[in-house]
Amino acid sequence: METTGIFSLAEEDEHLADAVVVDTNLFWGDLHLRGGTWKRLVNLQRSRVVRLYFPEVVVREMVRHYQRRHRENMNLIINAVDNPVDLDNVLIDLGLSSPGVSKKDLRSRRDAALSSGVYEDSLRRQITSVGEVLDLPSINPEDLIDSYLRAKKPFKTDDAGIADYVIWQTVRSLAVSEPRRSIILLTKNHKDFASGGTLHPDLRVTLNEADQVAVCIDVENFLAEYEEEVRLAEEGQTYFAPAAKDLAMDAAEDYVENHLVGAKVAGSDFDPYPSGLEIDGLVLPSEIESPHISWVALEVDSASWDPYEAFENTMELGQLECRAEVNISAHVHRSEAYSLEQSGEVDAVDLGNLEEHYVEVDLTRHVVLQFNIRVDKEMSGQVEHLDKIAID
């Protein structure tokens, strides 16, 4: 396999996007996948210079971390006041409950939220809308015990490292199933996966092809180099010639990222002066304020492309229809938050700073989008306008 810098070319006539396997530590501070690192990785995936993979163990670690954080925050509230009357007054002031709610009730609510699976379902949908979750690998018990007892990487001398071991075995399994594809493990864990800036020798010797897998611990440099690869591709130095539907889908994804995410959403039916993006069939609770779209997960497999006009076989005009999941964030007074969540009108409440009068709430809805798109067979697509966005 020929390599150039951090990039690789399997054959001159076929571009194989590098597989990027991410570690959990990239997202400890962004468990809802809204931050810059996630958005930049998504853009690279959509530009087809990388294929994004999440090991199953990484997804489960993120779920565990979210549950631990939620439990700790709820326990702070539950344990803050001992007197039932004082607790009741505090909860009323915070808008978290109605009179008569006990600590037992709050514990039940906490446990129900942790066991509901809402966060995990949302997380998996976000990941699979752009990338892939890799199944847990088959693990040889002898190899596991030997690596553990000898403290071979990624195990540590203090016996920690089982999750890192599963991540590495997932990488090895991917390397076997994709022997012609270069793989990069993107991680901030320089102690257990790397040595001197390269893949640790303990891990390197476990590969069938030692040069197939690289480790990258400088996340910012990694993103910058691949973004430069995208820039060159946009200037015409590209490796592939996708079909018109693929170009239309790329244009739709760019439009969503640049025009829909962050857009204000028109208010509820009770708002006499609605403004913002109107979503057909969407009814918002009258209590919420400043609703806006926080993320959109397009269901790529549902997309259909209907060209209605062509120009000398160099350009097509058509309509792309695609289903998607849309998350709407808004603010609501604390006194209203609990009742909205209990009634199911909102999906989640972020308590935030307990001294603030307003809290953030999230609503997730399934929609259908229709785009009018111009596709240039010379490798570009442009959304002329968004024809429709409606509740599915």
Side-chain angles (χ1 to χ4, degrees), residues 24 26-35 58-59 61-70 119 122-123 126:
T24 321
L26 270 64
F27 305 108
W28 281 141
D30 183 30
L31 294 174
H32 288 282
L33 299 182
R34 297 174 181 172
V58 167
V59 176
E61 280 195 304
M62 292 178 69
V63 172
R64 183 186 66 173
H65 194 67
Y66 167 82
Q67 292 176 333
R68 180 181 298 165
R69 182 180 297 177
H70 183 84
Y119 168 77
S122 176
L123 176 65
Q126 276 189 269

Side-chain angles (χ1 to χ4, degrees), residues 7-63:
F7 308 107
S8 65
L9 297 175
E11 289 183 1
E12 293 183 358
D13 62 344
E14 181 182 1
H15 172 63
L16 285 178
D18 291 340
V20 177
V21 181
V22 298
D23 195 355
T24 321
N25 49 45
L26 270 64
F27 305 108
W28 281 141
D30 183 30
L31 294 174
H32 288 282
L33 299 182
R34 297 174 181 172
T37 296
W38 166 251
K39 291 179 180 178
R40 292 169 74 182
L41 284 170
V42 168
N43 287 337
L44 292 178
Q45 163 80 18
R46 289 174 174 169
S47 299
R48 306 183 189 188
V49 294
V50 303
R51 291 185 65 176
L52 190 58
Y53 293 98
F54 274 66
E56 173 67 24
V57 67
V58 167
V59 176
R60 296 190 189 188
E61 280 195 304
M62 292 178 69
V63 172

